[in-house]
Amino acid sequence: MSFTKPVPLSLREWVQSIAGPVQSVRDVSSDRLNSQVWELICATQRVFVKLAPTPKFFGRETRALREVAPSLEPGTVPLLLAADPHQMALLLSPAAGRPAKSLPLTPADQCLMHRQAGSWLSRFHGGPGDLSARDRRDAAAEFVHAVAGAEKHLATSGNLISPQQRRTVQWHVAELGQIGPLPAGYVHGDFQESNWLVKTSPSGSVFGAVDLERARPHAVVADVVHLACGSWLGRPDLEEAFWDGYGRVLTDAEKRALHCLSALDAVSAIAWDVPTGDREIVDRGRAALARLEVQTA
């Protein structure tokens, strides 16, 4: 069951100081427990206001919206209208389109969407020269964080995973440490269909994406883990369309890393069941580990 969250009074007053009196409010938060997003119709414009769940996420999304979003095609990502670090609030313009998950897409439409997604993500990632020396160090450190996170999730998951599944994760953790430097960029961090928008018209369709709170420097292959473990399963046509749009395919080292990161994502999903009881996510994690067990058997 979901509950409509009211806009805090201080947040409403902040929005009104920028966009004018609020005429209507709609809670558009996702199913995540810490998601707080509202659509507001104000006197001068339609806006979205989002409360970041942590200072880290606030900083990541603010930077992505300020430094990366303006270089993308207009309307394909929200623009940052204002930010309040005290409330960890972001005031955003609407992005064009409707949530991809809500659209009745044909297989051909889905291929087009994944091709456009690949093209959009390639622009978002940018090139090696777009990262500072600090960014490149941060990207390299992400693998250290991933390994530490896997160890924590293994401890948290307890008997939710079998001894064989635990060995599968540990094998992939060790394998990840053997992979050398990978192409890095500015990743979206949660690139999956639930965060995609599609605008259709007689002249064609426009792809967009939202929810940049996990955007950061990282190996670019990390951005396709959710797709490889989700939308692309049993749909090689979608994967092919995506890489056609992206402009290149994965290197051999990136393919190895993708398998490893998929194992780490799977144990993270299973551990997520402990505090939330989200069976859909834990089942996704179990299915991913089962596939990896077959590949490493």
PDB file of all heavy atoms in Angstrom, residues 110-135:
ATOM      1  N   GLN A 110      10.112  -0.890 -28.632  1.00  0.00           N
ATOM      2  CA  GLN A 110      11.076  -1.145 -27.569  1.00  0.00           C
ATOM      3  C   GLN A 110      12.505  -1.099 -28.101  1.00  0.00           C
ATOM      4  O   GLN A 110      13.409  -0.550 -27.444  1.00  0.00           O
ATOM      5  CB  GLN A 110      10.793  -2.505 -26.927  1.00  0.00           C
ATOM      6  CG  GLN A 110       9.498  -2.553 -26.139  1.00  0.00           C
ATOM      7  CD  GLN A 110       9.155  -3.956 -25.676  1.00  0.00           C
ATOM      8  OE1 GLN A 110       9.481  -4.952 -26.329  1.00  0.00           O
ATOM      9  NE2 GLN A 110       8.478  -4.058 -24.543  1.00  0.00           N
ATOM     10  N   CYS A 111      12.717  -1.648 -29.267  1.00  0.00           N
ATOM     11  CA  CYS A 111      14.056  -1.595 -29.872  1.00  0.00           C
ATOM     12  C   CYS A 111      14.470  -0.149 -30.133  1.00  0.00           C
ATOM     13  O   CYS A 111      15.622   0.235 -29.872  1.00  0.00           O
ATOM     14  CB  CYS A 111      14.085  -2.402 -31.167  1.00  0.00           C
ATOM     15  SG  CYS A 111      14.215  -4.192 -30.926  1.00  0.00           S
ATOM     16  N   LEU A 112      13.533   0.638 -30.653  1.00  0.00           N
ATOM     17  CA  LEU A 112      13.833   2.049 -30.897  1.00  0.00           C
ATOM     18  C   LEU A 112      14.172   2.749 -29.589  1.00  0.00           C
ATOM     19  O   LEU A 112      15.129   3.536 -29.520  1.00  0.00           O
ATOM     20  CB  LEU A 112      12.646   2.729 -31.572  1.00  0.00           C
ATOM     21  CG  LEU A 112      12.771   4.250 -31.762  1.00  0.00           C
ATOM     22  CD1 LEU A 112      13.983   4.602 -32.617  1.00  0.00           C
ATOM     23  CD2 LEU A 112      11.489   4.810 -32.380  1.00  0.00           C
ATOM     24  N   MET A 113      13.411   2.470 -28.541  1.00  0.00           N
ATOM     25  CA  MET A 113      13.663   3.107 -27.252  1.00  0.00           C
ATOM     26  C   MET A 113      15.053   2.738 -26.729  1.00  0.00           C
ATOM     27  O   MET A 113      15.784   3.599 -26.224  1.00  0.00           O
ATOM     28  CB  MET A 113      12.594   2.693 -26.239  1.00  0.00           C
ATOM     29  CG  MET A 113      12.798   3.286 -24.847  1.00  0.00           C
ATOM     30  SD  MET A 113      11.462   2.866 -23.692  1.00  0.00           S
ATOM     31  CE  MET A 113      11.758   1.093 -23.461  1.00  0.00           C
ATOM     32  N   HIS A 114      15.450   1.484 -26.855  1.00  0.00           N
ATOM     33  CA  HIS A 114      16.768   1.070 -26.359  1.00  0.00           C
ATOM     34  C   HIS A 114      17.883   1.651 -27.225  1.00  0.00           C
ATOM     35  O   HIS A 114      18.961   1.970 -26.706  1.00  0.00           O
ATOM     36  CB  HIS A 114      16.849  -0.454 -26.270  1.00  0.00           C
ATOM     37  CG  HIS A 114      16.223  -0.998 -25.029  1.00  0.00           C
ATOM     38  ND1 HIS A 114      16.951  -1.437 -23.951  1.00  0.00           N
ATOM     39  CD2 HIS A 114      14.913  -1.131 -24.674  1.00  0.00           C
ATOM     40  CE1 HIS A 114      16.135  -1.833 -22.987  1.00  0.00           C
ATOM     41  NE2 HIS A 114      14.904  -1.665 -23.411  1.00  0.00           N
ATOM     42  N   ARG A 115      17.623   1.804 -28.513  1.00  0.00           N
ATOM     43  CA  ARG A 115      18.626   2.461 -29.362  1.00  0.00           C
ATOM     44  C   ARG A 115      18.796   3.921 -28.927  1.00  0.00           C
ATOM     45  O   ARG A 115      19.917   4.427 -28.819  1.00  0.00           O
ATOM     46  CB  ARG A 115      18.221   2.374 -30.826  1.00  0.00           C
ATOM     47  CG  ARG A 115      19.266   2.960 -31.797  1.00  0.00           C
ATOM     48  CD  ARG A 115      18.879   2.723 -33.251  1.00  0.00           C
ATOM     49  NE  ARG A 115      18.893   1.305 -33.584  1.00  0.00           N
ATOM     50  CZ  ARG A 115      17.809   0.545 -33.755  1.00  0.00           C
ATOM     51  NH1 ARG A 115      16.589   1.081 -33.624  1.00  0.00           N
ATOM     52  NH2 ARG A 115      17.910  -0.729 -34.051  1.00  0.00           N
ATOM     53  N   GLN A 116      17.687   4.593 -28.673  1.00  0.00           N
ATOM     54  CA  GLN A 116      17.749   5.981 -28.204  1.00  0.00           C
ATOM     55  C   GLN A 116      18.384   6.060 -26.818  1.00  0.00           C
ATOM     56  O   GLN A 116      19.124   7.008 -26.519  1.00  0.00           O
ATOM     57  CB  GLN A 116      16.341   6.580 -28.175  1.00  0.00           C
ATOM     58  CG  GLN A 116      15.724   6.785 -29.549  1.00  0.00           C
ATOM     59  CD  GLN A 116      14.281   7.254 -29.460  1.00  0.00           C
ATOM     60  OE1 GLN A 116      13.506   6.792 -28.623  1.00  0.00           O
ATOM     61  NE2 GLN A 116      13.904   8.182 -30.326  1.00  0.00           N
ATOM     62  N   ALA A 117      18.109   5.065 -25.974  1.00  0.00           N
ATOM     63  CA  ALA A 117      18.715   5.039 -24.644  1.00  0.00           C
ATOM     64  C   ALA A 117      20.228   4.930 -24.740  1.00  0.00           C
ATOM     65  O   ALA A 117      20.962   5.598 -24.001  1.00  0.00           O
ATOM     66  CB  ALA A 117      18.150   3.872 -23.833  1.00  0.00           C
ATOM     67  N   GLY A 118      20.710   4.083 -25.654  1.00  0.00           N
ATOM     68  CA  GLY A 118      22.148   3.958 -25.842  1.00  0.00           C
ATOM     69  C   GLY A 118      22.771   5.253 -26.305  1.00  0.00           C
ATOM     70  O   GLY A 118      23.846   5.662 -25.816  1.00  0.00           O
ATOM     71  N   SER A 119      22.114   5.941 -27.223  1.00  0.00           N
ATOM     72  CA  SER A 119      22.621   7.210 -27.722  1.00  0.00           C
ATOM     73  C   SER A 119      22.640   8.263 -26.612  1.00  0.00           C
ATOM     74  O   SER A 119      23.620   9.009 -26.450  1.00  0.00           O
ATOM     75  CB  SER A 119      21.754   7.683 -28.895  1.00  0.00           C
ATOM     76  OG  SER A 119      22.178   8.928 -29.376  1.00  0.00           O
ATOM     77  N   TRP A 120      21.560   8.327 -25.837  1.00  0.00           N
ATOM     78  CA  TRP A 120      21.475   9.296 -24.731  1.00  0.00           C
ATOM     79  C   TRP A 120      22.578   9.026 -23.715  1.00  0.00           C
ATOM     80  O   TRP A 120      23.254   9.947 -23.251  1.00  0.00           O
ATOM     81  CB  TRP A 120      20.106   9.193 -24.072  1.00  0.00           C
ATOM     82  CG  TRP A 120      19.838  10.215 -23.005  1.00  0.00           C
ATOM     83  CD1 TRP A 120      19.187  11.408 -23.156  1.00  0.00           C
ATOM     84  CD2 TRP A 120      20.203  10.138 -21.619  1.00  0.00           C
ATOM     85  NE1 TRP A 120      19.129  12.070 -21.957  1.00  0.00           N
ATOM     86  CE2 TRP A 120      19.744  11.323 -21.004  1.00  0.00           C
ATOM     87  CE3 TRP A 120      20.877   9.193 -20.851  1.00  0.00           C
ATOM     88  CZ2 TRP A 120      19.930  11.582 -19.635  1.00  0.00           C
ATOM     89  CZ3 TRP A 120      21.075   9.450 -19.495  1.00  0.00           C
ATOM     90  CH2 TRP A 120      20.604  10.627 -18.908  1.00  0.00           C
ATOM     91  N   LEU A 121      22.761   7.750 -23.365  1.00  0.00           N
ATOM     92  CA  LEU A 121      23.739   7.416 -22.325  1.00  0.00           C
ATOM     93  C   LEU A 121      25.167   7.681 -22.796  1.00  0.00           C
ATOM     94  O   LEU A 121      26.020   8.091 -22.002  1.00  0.00           O
ATOM     95  CB  LEU A 121      23.585   5.952 -21.909  1.00  0.00           C
ATOM     96  CG  LEU A 121      24.341   5.556 -20.635  1.00  0.00           C
ATOM     97  CD1 LEU A 121      23.837   6.347 -19.437  1.00  0.00           C
ATOM     98  CD2 LEU A 121      24.222   4.062 -20.378  1.00  0.00           C
ATOM     99  N   SER A 122      25.430   7.467 -24.071  1.00  0.00           N
ATOM    100  CA  SER A 122      26.756   7.764 -24.598  1.00  0.00           C
ATOM    101  C   SER A 122      27.093   9.240 -24.419  1.00  0.00           C
ATOM    102  O   SER A 122      28.209   9.598 -24.020  1.00  0.00           O
ATOM    103  CB  SER A 122      26.826   7.379 -26.084  1.00  0.00           C
ATOM    104  OG  SER A 122      28.085   7.705 -26.627  1.00  0.00           O
ATOM    105  N   ARG A 123      26.123  10.106 -24.698  1.00  0.00           N
ATOM    106  CA  ARG A 123      26.341  11.544 -24.505  1.00  0.00           C
ATOM    107  C   ARG A 123      26.497  11.881 -23.025  1.00  0.00           C
ATOM    108  O   ARG A 123      27.307  12.726 -22.652  1.00  0.00           O
ATOM    109  CB  ARG A 123      25.196  12.350 -25.124  1.00  0.00           C
ATOM    110  CG  ARG A 123      25.125  12.266 -26.644  1.00  0.00           C
ATOM    111  CD  ARG A 123      24.208  13.339 -27.215  1.00  0.00           C
ATOM    112  NE  ARG A 123      22.841  13.215 -26.737  1.00  0.00           N
ATOM    113  CZ  ARG A 123      21.907  12.448 -27.307  1.00  0.00           C
ATOM    114  NH1 ARG A 123      22.215  11.721 -28.376  1.00  0.00           N
ATOM    115  NH2 ARG A 123      20.682  12.411 -26.822  1.00  0.00           N
ATOM    116  N   PHE A 124      25.704  11.225 -22.188  1.00  0.00           N
ATOM    117  CA  PHE A 124      25.776  11.488 -20.750  1.00  0.00           C
ATOM    118  C   PHE A 124      27.141  11.065 -20.208  1.00  0.00           C
ATOM    119  O   PHE A 124      27.736  11.781 -19.392  1.00  0.00           O
ATOM    120  CB  PHE A 124      24.665  10.732 -20.023  1.00  0.00           C
ATOM    121  CG  PHE A 124      24.506  11.116 -18.575  1.00  0.00           C
ATOM    122  CD1 PHE A 124      23.673  12.170 -18.219  1.00  0.00           C
ATOM    123  CD2 PHE A 124      25.171  10.426 -17.572  1.00  0.00           C
ATOM    124  CE1 PHE A 124      23.518  12.531 -16.886  1.00  0.00           C
ATOM    125  CE2 PHE A 124      25.026  10.790 -16.239  1.00  0.00           C
ATOM    126  CZ  PHE A 124      24.190  11.840 -15.895  1.00  0.00           C
ATOM    127  N   HIS A 125      27.634   9.920 -20.648  1.00  0.00           N
ATOM    128  CA  HIS A 125      28.938   9.430 -20.169  1.00  0.00           C
ATOM    129  C   HIS A 125      30.068  10.375 -20.561  1.00  0.00           C
ATOM    130  O   HIS A 125      31.030  10.553 -19.812  1.00  0.00           O
ATOM    131  CB  HIS A 125      29.226   8.042 -20.745  1.00  0.00           C
ATOM    132  CG  HIS A 125      28.468   6.961 -20.066  1.00  0.00           C
ATOM    133  ND1 HIS A 125      28.363   5.680 -20.581  1.00  0.00           N
ATOM    134  CD2 HIS A 125      27.758   6.941 -18.890  1.00  0.00           C
ATOM    135  CE1 HIS A 125      27.639   4.936 -19.770  1.00  0.00           C
ATOM    136  NE2 HIS A 125      27.254   5.677 -18.747  1.00  0.00           N
ATOM    137  N   GLY A 126      29.965  10.965 -21.740  1.00  0.00           N
ATOM    138  CA  GLY A 126      31.029  11.843 -22.211  1.00  0.00           C
ATOM    139  C   GLY A 126      32.280  11.054 -22.562  1.00  0.00           C
ATOM    140  O   GLY A 126      32.271   9.821 -22.657  1.00  0.00           O
ATOM    141  N   GLY A 127      33.379  11.765 -22.737  1.00  0.00           N
ATOM    142  CA  GLY A 127      34.641  11.125 -23.081  1.00  0.00           C
ATOM    143  C   GLY A 127      35.627  11.190 -21.933  1.00  0.00           C
ATOM    144  O   GLY A 127      35.406  11.877 -20.935  1.00  0.00           O
ATOM    145  N   PRO A 128      36.744  10.466 -22.066  1.00  0.00           N
ATOM    146  CA  PRO A 128      37.755  10.448 -20.999  1.00  0.00           C
ATOM    147  C   PRO A 128      38.249  11.848 -20.639  1.00  0.00           C
ATOM    148  O   PRO A 128      38.549  12.132 -19.481  1.00  0.00           O
ATOM    149  CB  PRO A 128      38.881   9.594 -21.593  1.00  0.00           C
ATOM    150  CG  PRO A 128      38.219   8.764 -22.641  1.00  0.00           C
ATOM    151  CD  PRO A 128      37.111   9.599 -23.194  1.00  0.00           C
ATOM    152  N   GLY A 129      38.303  12.724 -21.616  1.00  0.00           N
ATOM    153  CA  GLY A 129      38.782  14.078 -21.361  1.00  0.00           C
ATOM    154  C   GLY A 129      37.820  14.927 -20.554  1.00  0.00           C
ATOM    155  O   GLY A 129      38.187  16.018 -20.085  1.00  0.00           O
ATOM    156  N   ASP A 130      36.581  14.449 -20.375  1.00  0.00           N
ATOM    157  CA  ASP A 130      35.600  15.214 -19.608  1.00  0.00           C
ATOM    158  C   ASP A 130      35.753  15.015 -18.105  1.00  0.00           C
ATOM    159  O   ASP A 130      35.115  15.727 -17.319  1.00  0.00           O
ATOM    160  CB  ASP A 130      34.182  14.818 -20.025  1.00  0.00           C
ATOM    161  CG  ASP A 130      33.883  15.184 -21.472  1.00  0.00           C
ATOM    162  OD1 ASP A 130      34.401  16.218 -21.925  1.00  0.00           O
ATOM    163  OD2 ASP A 130      33.157  14.429 -22.140  1.00  0.00           O
ATOM    164  N   LEU A 131      36.559  14.030 -17.707  1.00  0.00           N
ATOM    165  CA  LEU A 131      36.762  13.760 -16.288  1.00  0.00           C
ATOM    166  C   LEU A 131      38.032  14.452 -15.798  1.00  0.00           C
ATOM    167  O   LEU A 131      39.056  14.431 -16.477  1.00  0.00           O
ATOM    168  CB  LEU A 131      36.880  12.260 -16.028  1.00  0.00           C
ATOM    169  CG  LEU A 131      35.653  11.388 -16.329  1.00  0.00           C
ATOM    170  CD1 LEU A 131      35.958   9.936 -15.994  1.00  0.00           C
ATOM    171  CD2 LEU A 131      34.435  11.867 -15.550  1.00  0.00           C
ATOM    172  N   SER A 132      37.954  15.018 -14.617  1.00  0.00           N
ATOM    173  CA  SER A 132      39.137  15.606 -13.995  1.00  0.00           C
ATOM    174  C   SER A 132      39.996  14.489 -13.404  1.00  0.00           C
ATOM    175  O   SER A 132      39.576  13.325 -13.325  1.00  0.00           O
ATOM    176  CB  SER A 132      38.724  16.571 -12.892  1.00  0.00           C
ATOM    177  OG  SER A 132      38.114  15.857 -11.820  1.00  0.00           O
ATOM    178  N   ALA A 133      41.186  14.841 -12.976  1.00  0.00           N
ATOM    179  CA  ALA A 133      42.054  13.852 -12.327  1.00  0.00           C
ATOM    180  C   ALA A 133      41.370  13.294 -11.081  1.00  0.00           C
ATOM    181  O   ALA A 133      41.447  12.092 -10.794  1.00  0.00           O
ATOM    182  CB  ALA A 133      43.394  14.489 -11.970  1.00  0.00           C
ATOM    183  N   ARG A 134      40.683  14.150 -10.339  1.00  0.00           N
ATOM    184  CA  ARG A 134      39.944  13.699  -9.149  1.00  0.00           C
ATOM    185  C   ARG A 134      38.828  12.742  -9.551  1.00  0.00           C
ATOM    186  O   ARG A 134      38.596  11.717  -8.888  1.00  0.00           O
ATOM    187  CB  ARG A 134      39.373  14.911  -8.413  1.00  0.00           C
ATOM    188  CG  ARG A 134      38.382  14.584  -7.297  1.00  0.00           C
ATOM    189  CD  ARG A 134      39.028  13.848  -6.143  1.00  0.00           C
ATOM    190  NE  ARG A 134      38.073  13.514  -5.121  1.00  0.00           N
ATOM    191  CZ  ARG A 134      37.716  14.332  -4.124  1.00  0.00           C
ATOM    192  NH1 ARG A 134      38.249  15.556  -4.046  1.00  0.00           N
ATOM    193  NH2 ARG A 134      36.862  13.936  -3.212  1.00  0.00           N
ATOM    194  N   ASP A 135      38.128  13.052 -10.638  1.00  0.00           N
ATOM    195  CA  ASP A 135      37.059  12.173 -11.114  1.00  0.00           C
ATOM    196  C   ASP A 135      37.600  10.793 -11.470  1.00  0.00           C
ATOM    197  O   ASP A 135      36.975   9.774 -11.161  1.00  0.00           O
ATOM    198  CB  ASP A 135      36.373  12.782 -12.339  1.00  0.00           C
ATOM    199  CG  ASP A 135      35.507  13.982 -12.002  1.00  0.00           C
ATOM    200  OD1 ASP A 135      35.075  14.101 -10.849  1.00  0.00           O
ATOM    201  OD2 ASP A 135      35.273  14.801 -12.919  1.00  0.00           O
TER     202      ASP A 135
END
